[in-house]
């Protein structure tokens, strides 16, 4: 009797929660004007709940349906995400308007805090600190790409050379992610935290586990746990994250404090000989002069969420796209030839001008990012203005509503890209190559970008790090990824070095990506056959 009563109690409680959420969803649905069509809900009982359940397994189908039906006609539409949150997807024509609004109307950080459960998994990081850290990366790291390139290359080469012994010219089967992950991780860590901490194995182990737990928890809690249950599950998942955060901070915080003390001593004592290291710790100390070492350290640790795993996944997708293309097209051989023509001496690997000459490699990576963006929906922002906002088409949306665009829809729209579903690695380089052949500058330094934020200044094509409304994989406008130039350089160095030093057998069929919530994840179980080439520079 007691058992039956317990089951009845919990059953009725679950039903009450279920009905309450359906009422809440319907109320939210009615907050949007009727002129904004919904994609997903049907004319059925408990339509919003059932639409949410379908969305969990729909992958990209719902967003693609809405894009083809509404975005291509310049109209916004509404969908639920896999956590049950409503989103209004704007057409590309309204993207510039959204990202150009003044601060206070929209907030990208609020979306990040919720979508990736940051507010549960990470201690609060002030807007000022996060903004200053972003400035340090966008300004100081980008300015010092040339000064850090040799360091990054040396770390990458050490890891990539460990794949196969130098004197072993036989074929080997290698996991693709396993090949790329160590070098990219170590090189990124070297620029994030500097040489001393990268020599501390205890710190690296703690930082690595923190990064892994943070990444997994962010996706699971932020995109699969219903948003009304994210708090308890988020705090539970944060236990492991906080354990390894504290372990990493034992070493990172004293290093940051030592840098701050050295900077102050250099200002007060002209005889103090101090050569600032070229890393994110140092640049962050310079931009966050009024902050504490603990706050700066926490902000730097938080960069792990986007700095490492995204670069690994993007590089993995590029290799898969290149190697699964028809062998007779010779894409990998062409990339090898370009790398061989640019890197003829050891010194060339440390020259920024060398990377500017990698026209085809740059294009091949950008084309892969076009077909495989990290997320199906992008430039997502939350309406912060109490009175809501009125869209350019006259529709009014309330405070708290999320607005974004369909990245996969824009990136594969035939209006912007001919034959959009085909991988064409030279899509973005052909125009520049033709221009360079015409004026006799092919392969010279003249092919470097004038201003990566102004595509109109770039002749006949866009570079890998160029952010524009028809290619917002790195974001768009003032909220574009601040580290995209560094990520682009690392990916180009990695692809060039592997193509130059290794032969890789073609992949017969391209394995499909995994759709995890809104994340588009390259398959991690791909094995390739490769062998060393005879000794090269």
């Amino acid at each position: 009797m007691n058992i039956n009563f317990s089951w009845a109690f919990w059953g009725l409680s679950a039903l009450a929660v279920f009905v309450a959420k359906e009422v809440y969803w319907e109320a939210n649905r009615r907050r949007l004007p009727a002129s904004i069509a919904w994609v997903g809900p049907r004319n059925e009982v408990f339509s919003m709940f059932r639409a949410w359940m379908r969305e969990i397994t729909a992958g990209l189908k719902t967003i693609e349906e809405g894009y083809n039906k509404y975005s291509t006609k310049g109209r916004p539409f509404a969908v639920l995400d896999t956590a049950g949150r409503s989103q209004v997807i704007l057409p590309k024509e309204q993207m510039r308007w959204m990202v150009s609004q003044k601060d206070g109307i929209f907030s990208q950080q609020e979306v990040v805090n919720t979508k990736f459960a940051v507010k549960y998994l990470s201690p609060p990081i002030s807007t000022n600190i996060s903004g200053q850290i972003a400035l340090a990366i966008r300004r100081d790291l980008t300015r010092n790409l040339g000064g850090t390139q040799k360091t990054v290359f040396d770390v990458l080469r050490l890891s990539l050379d460990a794949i196969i012994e130098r004197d072993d010219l036989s074929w080997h089967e290698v996991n693709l992610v396993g090949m790329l992950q160590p070098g990219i991780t170590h090189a990124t860590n070297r620029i994030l935290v500097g040489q001393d901490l990268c020599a501390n194995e205890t710190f690296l182990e703690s930082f690595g586990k923190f990064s892994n737990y943070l990444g997994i928890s962010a996706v699971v809690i932020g995109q699969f746990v219903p948003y009304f249950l994210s708090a308890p599950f988020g705090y539970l998942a944060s236990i492991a994250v906080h354990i390894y955060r504290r372990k990493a901070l034992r070493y990172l915080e004293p290093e940051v404090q030592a840098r701050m003390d050295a900077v102050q001593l250099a200002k007060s004592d002209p005889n103090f000989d101090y050569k600032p290291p070229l890393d994110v710790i140092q640049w962050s100390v310079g931009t966050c002069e009024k902050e504490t070492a603990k706050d700066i350290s926490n902000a730097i640790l938080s960069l792990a969420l986007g700095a490492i795993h995204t670069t690994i996944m993007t590089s993995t997708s590029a290799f898969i796209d290149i190697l699964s293309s028809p062998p007779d097209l010779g894409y990998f051989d062409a990339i090898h030839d370009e790398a061989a023509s640019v890197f003829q001496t050891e010194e060339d690997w440390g020259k920024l001008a060398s990377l500017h000459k990698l026209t085809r490699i740059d294009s091949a990576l950008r084309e892969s990012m076009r077909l495989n963006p990290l997320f199906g929906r992008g430039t997502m922002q939350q309406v912060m203005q109490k009175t809501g906002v009125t869209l350019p088409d006259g529709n009014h949306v309330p405070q708290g509503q999320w607005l974004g665009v369909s990245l996969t829809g824009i990136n594969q729209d035939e209006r912007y890209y001919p034959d959009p579903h085909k991988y064409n690695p030279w899509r973005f380089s052909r125009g520049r190559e033709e221009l360079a052949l015409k004026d006799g500058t092919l392969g010279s330094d003249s092919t470097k970008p004038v201003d990566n934020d102004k595509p109109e200044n770039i002749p006949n094509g866009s570079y890998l790090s160029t952010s524009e409304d028809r290619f917002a994989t790195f974001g768009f406008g003032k909220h574009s990824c601040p580290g995209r130039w560094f990520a682009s350089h690392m990916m180009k160095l990695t692809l060039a070095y592997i193509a130059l030093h290794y032969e890789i057998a073609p992949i017969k069929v391209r394995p499909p990506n995994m759709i995890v919530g809104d994340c588009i994840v390259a398959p991690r179980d791909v094995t390739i056959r490769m062998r060393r080439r005879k000794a090269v520079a």
Side-chain angles (χ1 to χ4, degrees):
M1 193 72 172
N2 291 336
I3 295 177
N4 291 336
F5 176 79
S6 297
W7 277 109
F9 172 78
W10 288 112
L12 289 173
S13 298
L15 179 61
V17 171
F18 166 74
V19 172
K21 289 314 301 176
E22 181 68 19
V23 171
Y24 178 77
W25 268 322
E26 285 293 346
N28 271 349
R29 182 178 181 179
R30 290 182 173 86
R31 292 176 69 201
L32 295 176
S35 53
I36 296 181
W38 277 84
V39 177
R42 301 169 183 170
N43 186 19
E44 57 190 355
V45 177
F46 299 126
S47 63
M48 295 297 282
F49 175 80
R50 294 164 78 171
W52 169 50
M53 294 302 292
R54 286 192 294 269
E55 187 62 25
I56 294 175
T57 58
L60 301 175
K61 293 178 182 178
T62 308
I63 200 76
E64 290 175 354
E65 177 187 345
Y67 184 86
N68 293 328
K69 193 173 182 179
Y70 299 104
S71 295
T72 55
K73 297 176 177 63
R75 294 178 55 190
F77 65 95
V79 292
L80 292 176
D81 67 7
T82 52
R85 294 177 291 256
S86 69
Q87 301 175 345
V88 172
I89 306 300
L90 304 179
K92 184 182 82 70
E93 292 81 1
Q94 295 183 17
M95 193 194 308
R96 287 185 180 274
W97 165 82
M98 180 175 64
V99 301
S100 65
Q101 299 302 302
K102 63 181 181 181
D103 293 340
I105 295 179
F106 296 119
S107 172
Q108 184 186 60
Q109 190 58 49
E110 286 298 320
V111 173
V112 171
N113 289 344
T114 302
K115 184 176 180 178
F116 298 106
V118 173
K119 58 186 177 183
Y120 309 117
L121 301 174
S122 173
I125 298 174
S126 71
T127 303
N128 180 62
I129 293 180
S130 60
Q132 292 301 315
I133 298 291
L135 174 63
I137 295 172
R138 178 180 288 108
R139 182 189 64 191
D140 299 312
L141 175 55
T142 304
R143 287 177 179 175
N144 287 280
L145 286 175
T148 59
Q149 182 171 315
K150 186 60 167 61
T151 298
V152 170
F153 170 69
D154 286 342
V155 175
L156 281 172
R157 175 168 58 180
L158 188 63
S159 292
L160 294 173
D161 278 350
I163 301 170
I164 299 174
E165 295 292 334
R166 281 186 171 272
D167 58 350
D168 185 352
L169 301 181
S170 59
W171 288 94
H172 293 261
E173 290 193 352
V174 178
N175 176 266
L176 180 56
V177 174
M179 174 183 70
L180 297 172
Q181 185 166 334
I184 291 174
T185 300
H186 295 157
T188 303
N189 287 342
R190 178 66 176 78
I191 298 303
L192 280 179
V193 300
Q195 182 175 1
D196 291 344
L197 285 179
C198 280
N200 186 325
E201 291 296 332
T202 305
F203 167 77
L204 290 179
E205 180 182 4
S206 299
F207 186 40
K209 290 183 177 179
F210 162 76
S211 177
N212 289 334
Y213 278 117
L214 179 64
I216 294 171
S217 300
V219 173
V220 173
I221 303 301
Q223 298 197 48
F224 282 102
V225 174
Y227 69 92
F228 49 88
L229 295 175
S230 58
F233 282 94
Y235 288 126
L236 181 63
S238 71
I239 295 174
V241 176
H242 287 318
I243 288 174
Y244 289 104
R245 177 189 291 276
R246 286 196 297 269
K247 289 184 176 182
L249 283 175
R250 290 176 191 170
Y251 302 94
L252 179 57
E253 190 176 339
E255 178 68 18
V256 173
Q257 186 62 59
R259 302 284 191 92
M260 297 173 73
D261 295 341
V263 168
Q264 292 303 315
L265 184 58
K267 290 180 178 179
S268 61
D269 184 359
N271 296 319
F272 178 60
D273 185 19
Y274 181 60
K275 185 179 180 180
L278 297 179
D279 56 44
V280 172
I281 289 181
Q282 193 66 37
W283 300 319
S284 299
V285 166
T287 59
C288 301
E289 295 181 346
K290 298 181 180 180
E291 308 298 340
T292 66
K294 183 175 184 178
D295 288 340
I296 294 174
S297 300
N298 271 315
I300 291 174
L301 283 179
S302 297
L303 296 175
L305 184 60
I308 298 174
H309 297 297
T310 54
T311 306
I312 294 170
M313 288 296 97
T314 301
S315 300
T316 300
S317 292
F319 272 94
I320 292 174
D321 286 332
I322 293 166
L323 295 173
S324 62
S325 297
D328 58 308
L329 296 177
Y331 292 156
F332 191 70
D333 291 338
I335 287 173
H336 164 267
D337 293 345
E338 182 176 70
S341 69
V342 171
F343 299 107
Q344 298 185 10
T345 67
E346 173 70 17
E347 290 72 26
D348 290 331
W349 290 102
K351 295 178 180 178
L352 193 59
S354 297
L355 296 190
H356 293 151
K357 299 175 185 178
L358 298 177
T359 305
R360 288 191 164 188
I361 289 177
D362 184 284
S363 177
L365 288 165
R366 182 178 173 90
E367 173 72 348
S368 185
M369 289 186 69
R370 181 186 71 82
L371 288 172
N372 311 283
L374 294 170
F375 305 100
R377 312 166 198 197
T379 67
M380 196 67 67
Q381 305 207 41
Q382 180 173 312
V383 177
M384 304 300 292
Q385 192 165 255
K386 290 184 179 180
T387 57
V389 296
T390 300
L391 306 180
D393 59 10
N395 283 302
H396 188 82
V397 295
Q399 182 186 30
Q401 182 61 56
W402 285 14
L403 304 177
V405 298
S406 169
L407 292 181
T408 50
I410 294 172
N411 287 1
Q412 298 177 37
D413 192 324
E414 61 184 5
R415 294 178 298 171
Y416 314 124
Y417 300 102
D419 203 359
H421 301 292
K422 177 183 178 182
Y423 178 72
N424 175 6
W426 322 139
R427 186 185 297 273
F428 300 102
S429 64
R430 186 167 289 112
R432 295 201 300 272
E433 291 182 85
E434 291 173 355
L435 180 65
L437 282 172
K438 183 177 180 180
D439 62 19
T441 60
L442 183 63
S444 72
D445 294 353
S446 65
T447 60
K448 63 185 178 182
V450 178
D451 186 338
N452 275 338
D453 278 331
K454 297 180 179 179
E456 64 270 19
N457 288 342
I458 302 175
N460 293 291
S462 300
Y463 290 83
L464 174 56
S465 54
T466 305
S467 173
E468 51 187 318
D469 61 358
R470 68 171 188 170
F471 186 90
T473 304
F474 273 128
F476 182 58
K478 58 186 176 183
H479 296 298
S480 297
C481 173
R484 63 188 185 276
W485 289 280
F486 173 70
S488 300
H489 278 60
M490 178 147 26
M491 289 189 289
K492 286 192 279 188
L493 278 173
T494 301
L495 179 52
Y497 189 82
I498 291 175
L500 188 58
H501 290 82
Y502 293 94
E503 293 179 63
I504 304 181
I507 298 174
K508 292 182 179 180
V509 179
R510 193 201 193 285
N513 293 322
M514 298 181 292
I515 309 301
V516 183
D518 189 44
C519 301
I520 302 174
V521 183
R524 298 182 61 88
D525 58 352
V526 174
T527 299
I528 58 175
R529 294 184 66 248
M530 61 189 302
R531 69 176 178 182
R532 274 192 174 275
R533 300 181 191 269
K534 293 183 178 180
V536 293

